[in-house]
Amino acid sequence: MTHWHEGPLAAFDTETTGVDVEEDRIVSAALVVQDTAGGRMRVTRWLVNPGVPVPVGATEIHGLTDDHLQRNGRWPAPVVEEIARALAEQCATGRPLVVMNAPFDLTLLDRELKRHRASSLAGYLENTPLRVLDPRVLDKHLDRYRKGRRTLTDLCAHYEVVLDGAHDAAADAAASLELVRAVGRRFSSRLERLSPSELHALQAVWHAAQARGLQAWFAKSGTPEAVDPAWPLRPELPAAA
C-alpha cells in the first residue's frame, strides 16, 4: 500500500514584494508536481511585473529587481488567472497541494485575483476540494516541544532535505514537497492512517491552536502583533465604512 506521503503531490510557492498579504504583490511563482517519491518533478514557473516598485529589502531576499521584472515579467492579470487554474487542476485530480506557510501564499494569491480579476481563489476552486499540506503546521504539531526556528531553511536542515537556491519559488516549492514527504516518513505511525482530506481539516485546528499559543506569548512579552488563526486562507478584511 502506498501512503499519501509517497504518492502524488503538488507544491506551490511565491516570491513577493513584501509580507503584507493585503497590499503586497506576487513577483514570481512556481508549481511543482511529482507523481511518486523520487520521481521526476515537473515545474511551471511564472515571472510577474507587479506594476509597483519592488522594495530593496525584497530584492535582497529573492534577487528580482524592478528592471528585470519590467523586462521579463508578464502583467499580473493573466498570470494570476493561470496560477489559479493550475492549482484548481491539481486539486481536481485529487493531488494534495503542499504550501509552506499556506495562509501567506494562498491569501496573497486570493487578493491578487481580487485586485486583477475581480475574483477569488474560492471562485476557481468551486466544487473542487482543497487539500493542503503545510509542513510548518505539521512539524509544529508533531514535534511541538522542539526549540528553534521553523522557517523553510530550518526545517530542511532538521529533516535533511536539500534546499538548493532558497528564495527561488521553484526551489522553495520543490524543497517544501520533499519536506512533507520527510515529515510523513518520520511520523508515519501517527500520519499514515490519516487521509490528506482528514489532515487538511486537522491542520486548520492545529494552526488555530498554534496561533493562540503564539498570541499569548506575544501578549506576555508586550508585543502588539496580532496572529491570525485562519488556515489555509485568511478571510477578507471588512471594507472600511
Side-chain angles (χ1 to χ4, degrees):
M1 177 181 176
T2 300
H3 299 299
W4 61 262
H5 53 81
E6 302 293 348
L9 293 176
F12 174 64
D13 188 72
T14 64
E15 296 300 328
T16 67
T17 59
V19 297
D20 185 340
V21 296
E22 303 296 337
E23 299 296 334
D24 279 305
R25 313 296 177 89
I26 295 172
V27 296
S28 70
L31 177 66
V32 175
V33 179
Q34 189 181 47
D35 293 328
T36 187
R40 182 177 66 88
M41 291 186 177
R42 303 187 298 278
V43 182
T44 304
R45 296 177 174 86
W46 292 273
L47 192 66
V48 186
N49 178 356
V52 299
V54 180
V56 172
T59 296
E60 289 175 348
I61 292 172
H62 50 59
L64 298 171
T65 65
D66 280 327
D67 182 65
H68 178 75
L69 294 171
Q70 289 168 10
R71 289 174 180 273
N72 301 286
R74 297 167 57 202
W75 287 112
V79 173
V80 294
E81 179 168 22
E82 285 179 18
I83 294 172
R85 291 190 183 280
L87 298 189
E89 180 180 344
Q90 295 303 317
C91 293
T93 67
R95 189 175 278 114
L97 183 65
V98 176
V99 190
M100 172 72 183
N101 192 17
F104 177 78
D105 293 85
L106 295 183
T107 303
L108 199 144
L109 173 60
D110 179 77
R111 303 310 191 255
E112 287 278 61
L113 287 165
K114 179 182 178 182
R115 183 177 295 119
H116 297 291
R117 305 298 301 185
S119 184
S120 67
L121 185 56
Y124 288 87
L125 296 172
E126 190 175 10
N127 301 319
T128 303
L130 182 63
R131 301 186 299 173
V132 174
L133 299 172
D134 187 333
R136 187 170 182 267
V137 175
L138 291 171
D139 171 76
K140 198 169 185 179
H141 176 78
L142 295 164
D143 198 0
R144 69 184 68 182
Y145 299 114
R146 188 180 81 249
K147 294 182 179 180
R149 288 157 48 88
R150 299 180 195 247
T151 66
L152 179 60
T153 300
D154 296 316
L155 292 182
C156 285
H158 180 71
Y159 287 93
E160 299 181 342
V161 170
V162 175
L163 174 54
D164 187 10
H167 300 298
D168 168 82
D172 286 358
S176 297
L177 189 153
E178 293 293 354
L179 183 57
V180 160
R181 295 200 190 280
V183 172
R185 294 186 193 106
R186 183 168 298 187
F187 296 99
S188 60
S189 62
R190 298 168 64 183
L191 295 176
E192 64 186 14
R193 295 180 183 274
L194 297 169
S195 70
S197 295
E198 290 169 326
L199 271 175
H200 179 96
L202 284 170
Q203 284 170 101
V205 177
W206 296 343
H207 179 270
Q210 293 162 10
R212 289 192 298 270
L214 183 58
Q215 191 70 77
W217 187 84
F218 280 160
K220 185 176 181 180
S221 62
T223 302
E225 184 175 348
V227 183
D228 196 320
W231 182 96
L233 187 68
R234 298 176 189 171
E236 288 190 46
L237 296 176

